[in-house]
């Protein structure tokens, strides 16, 4: 039986110069092109031409970064259902992720709830609440939001980093499917 080809990224990361890597994959992590550049510095081979393999290596770069660098990446994310989203000021990926979870359809009460939670969360942790929203609706997101507000700072930084790595994997998969 013929096996199906795995989805491949185009351009192939293994064929990219550093400049091409930054150009094509620098935006996979929100406003943080250094993650793609660090992955390139590791030496990319054909193994890394699938979305999941590149996502794994990029994720490792973020896991290995200092807590200060990790916090900067978290801080590069916009609020969910926040003012920037309402004003149409998000990156293309962020706009479609938030719309995909129906966050642009919130009732005025739901927007107020997000506003209050965003403020409480940022006051406690110093960075915005980030969650991979694919497959979640706004009710599930609000429930996770309230639960994660109870975490301690270290747990919450690690949770946010895991969610950001998940978001990057979805972004890379979506690009390979185009
Ligand atoms: N999860 C998926 N996309 C986003 C985003 O743009 N911002 C936040 N805070 N979480 C997300």
């Amino acid at each position: 039986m013929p096996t199906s080809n795995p989805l491949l990224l185009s351009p192939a990361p293994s064929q990219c110069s550093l400049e091409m890597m930054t150009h094509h994959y620098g935006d996979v992590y929100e406003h943080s092109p250094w993650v793609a550049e660090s992955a390139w510095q590791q030496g990319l081979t054909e193994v890394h031409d699938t979305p999941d393999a590149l996502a794994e290596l990029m994720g490792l770069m973020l896991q290995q970064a200092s807590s200060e660098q990790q916090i900067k990446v978290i801080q590069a994310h916009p609020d969910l259902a926040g003012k920037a989203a309402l004003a149409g000021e998000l990156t293309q990926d962020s706009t479609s992720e938030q719309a995909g979870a129906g966050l642009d359809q919130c009732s005025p009460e739901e927007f107020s709830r997000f506003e209050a939670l965003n403020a409480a969360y940022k006051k406690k942790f110093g960075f915005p609440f980030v969650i991979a929203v694919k497959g979640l609706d706004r009710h599930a997101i609000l429930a996770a939001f309230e639960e994660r507000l109870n975490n301690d700072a270290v747990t919450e930084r690690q949770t946010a980093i895991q969610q950001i790595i998940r978001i990057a994997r979805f972004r890379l998969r979506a690009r390979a499917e185009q």
Side-chain angles (χ1 to χ4, degrees):
M1 265 225 321
T3 50
S4 59
N5 282 330
L7 285 173
L8 293 175
L9 290 162
S10 176
S14 63
Q15 305 303 311
C16 283
S17 62
L18 177 57
E19 198 181 7
M20 283 171 72
M21 189 71 192
T22 309
H23 180 74
H24 292 282
Y25 299 106
D27 61 347
V28 169
Y29 281 85
E30 199 82 2
H31 305 294
S32 309
W34 67 265
V35 183
E37 288 160 7
S38 299
W40 186 91
Q41 304 283 0
Q42 300 296 304
L44 298 175
T45 68
E46 284 173 15
V47 168
H48 301 107
D49 292 342
T50 66
D52 283 12
L54 184 63
E56 189 171 332
L57 182 61
M58 288 174 86
L60 196 62
M61 299 300 97
L62 187 58
Q63 293 278 17
Q64 289 175 351
S66 65
S67 52
E68 289 78 13
Q69 278 175 301
Q70 291 183 344
I71 286 169
K72 279 191 190 147
V73 174
I74 306 171
Q75 286 172 334
H77 286 73
D79 283 349
L80 284 178
K83 291 202 168 67
L86 283 173
E89 290 167 355
L90 305 187
T91 61
Q92 205 180 331
D93 282 318
S94 196
T95 303
S96 58
E97 286 156 8
Q98 298 215 24
L103 294 179
D104 55 342
Q105 311 283 318
C106 286
S107 65
E109 291 74 24
E110 286 165 337
F111 270 121
S112 310
R113 221 167 135 215
F114 269 108
E115 204 175 3
L117 286 167
N118 280 329
Y121 184 96
K122 275 199 278 193
K123 185 166 181 226
K124 177 164 180 184
F125 298 112
F127 49 77
F129 174 76
V130 181
I131 186 166
V133 294
K134 196 176 173 70
L136 301 179
D137 62 19
R138 53 192 189 275
H139 309 289
I141 294 168
L142 282 166
F145 209 154
E146 286 183 348
E147 196 168 313
R148 280 175 49 187
L149 252 175
N150 297 319
N151 281 341
D152 63 77
V154 172
T155 305
E156 195 47 31
R157 172 169 53 82
Q158 287 164 349
T159 304
I161 290 298
Q162 280 160 8
Q163 292 295 316
I164 288 170
I165 290 171
R166 212 170 128 81
I167 293 169
R169 189 165 70 234
F170 289 137
R171 289 181 177 181
L172 284 166
R173 282 184 186 165
R175 287 176 195 202
E177 279 159 12
Q178 277 167 7

